[in-house]
Amino acid sequence: MQKAIRKAVLPVAGLGTRFLPATKAVPKEMMTVVDRPALQYVVDEARAAGIEHIVFVTGRGKAVIEDHFDVAYELEATLEARSKTEALEVLKRDLPVAGSVSFTRQQAPLGLGHAVWCARDIIGPEPFAVLLPDMLMKHHTPCLKSMVDAYERTGGNVLSLEECEPAMTAQYGIVALGATVQEDVFEVTGMVEKPKPAAAPSNLFISGRYILQPEIFDLLETQEKGAGGEIQLTDAMLRLLKGSPFYGVRFRGTTYDTGTKLGFLKANLAYALDREDIHGNIRAELQSVLAES
Ligand code: G1P
């Protein structure tokens, strides 16, 4: 029996410069996909995988994230008085159980590895998940759930993997694979952050979901700066790999990188088309927009 994965870290301290001016006063994670903050979909994925406690690593200007995951008393009282039961139910559905979320601040933008390290005391000595909220991963089996299922058999550390265009490796953490453990689950024998195509061991990239052993925190503490002058999680994972096995789970759904404008717009369309209350209209509206443009 492996130790259960109960806690997850969601790094949300990024400045969102690619979405300025939208992100000047609004955290990028709070930008709406249909009618919910993008971050809410990732929290749902964590919950669907059995995560009981979420640690948000935030930064300056991100306080509304905390408000979003709290009771909005005046709002709820007003909705109640006006008998807006549907809206009330939506708020209740998305409200975390009291005490099941924590917030800590990354005081300087030193990289993903540093952001994860900021959560060390709240996570403690147990394996945990990391979900990068930019990546919305859509599939009937949530990505982290299939990783938890794999972890229950393999133990160790688990990464979500997807294929990228061979020319795009310098945007991602890229892995080298070993033996196949079972369908879509592989041993990971190496990894490198943002390699040029010629130096990339494959075109399989780490797509933003991780299950990690707590020993990663000691390694992050001493991790030197890597690609982009940042403390990279991938570099610390490569050191962890020497004593703790890593596995990759190939994700078979669709990933929307909401950190890019196109990815964000595509996510809005994809999640809207999935919604029974509006999908019929979306198709017709899209066709008329295309015809007019
Ligand atoms: C981060 C990770 C990288 C991973 C990517 C997925 O990079 O460092 O290994 O492949 O997320 O989106 P970033 O997007 O923060 O540059």
Side-chain angles (χ1 to χ4, degrees), residues 21-86:
T23 49
K24 188 178 170 193
V26 176
K28 64 173 175 171
E29 299 79 10
M30 293 301 290
M31 286 175 42
T32 37
V33 173
V34 190
D35 53 5
R36 315 173 76 210
L39 184 57
Q40 187 70 60
Y41 294 85
V42 182
V43 167
D44 288 356
E45 182 189 331
R47 281 180 166 180
I51 297 296
E52 294 164 13
H53 192 110
I54 292 181
V55 184
F56 294 96
V57 180
T58 73
R60 285 167 64 76
K62 302 278 182 166
V64 295
I65 295 179
E66 218 163 315
D67 291 341
H68 176 74
F69 292 104
D70 192 9
V71 171
Y73 177 76
E74 299 88 335
L75 176 62
E76 290 183 23
T78 308
L79 291 174
E80 192 103 53
R82 294 184 186 165
S83 304
K84 302 258 184 204
T85 43
E86 241 175 77

Side-chain angles (χ1 to χ4, degrees), residues 14 27 33-34 41 47 63 74 82 88 108 118 123 139 150-151 165 185 194 202 210 213-214 237 255 259 263 272 288:
V33 173
V34 190
Y41 294 85
R47 281 180 166 180
E74 299 88 335
R82 294 184 186 165
L88 262 174
C118 289
I123 297 294
H139 194 47
Y151 164 83
E165 293 290 327
V185 181
K194 301 196 169 62
S202 74
Y210 310 74
Q213 294 298 321
M237 292 195 302
T255 297
S288 83

Side-chain angles (χ1 to χ4, degrees), residues 251-274:
F251 179 58
R252 294 286 181 185
T254 311
T255 297
Y256 300 94
D257 181 357
T258 64
T260 70
K261 291 181 180 73
L262 199 59
F264 178 75
L265 292 171
K266 271 174 77 177
N268 262 288
L269 284 175
Y271 283 91
L273 285 167
D274 228 26

Side-chain angles (χ1 to χ4, degrees), residues 18 112 132 134-135 171-174 192-194 205-208 210 230 232-234 237 257:
R18 277 189 279 186
L112 175 61
L132 305 188
D134 271 355
M135 302 302 241
Q171 291 193 7
Y172 301 109
I174 305 288
V192 49
E193 183 66 16
K194 301 196 169 62
F205 73 99
I206 304 164
S207 65
Y210 310 74
E230 299 190 336
Q232 295 291 354
L233 181 58
T234 307
M237 292 195 302
D257 181 357

Side-chain angles (χ1 to χ4, degrees), residues 20 47 94 140 142 270 280:
L20 285 169
R47 281 180 166 180
D94 290 347
H140 48 80

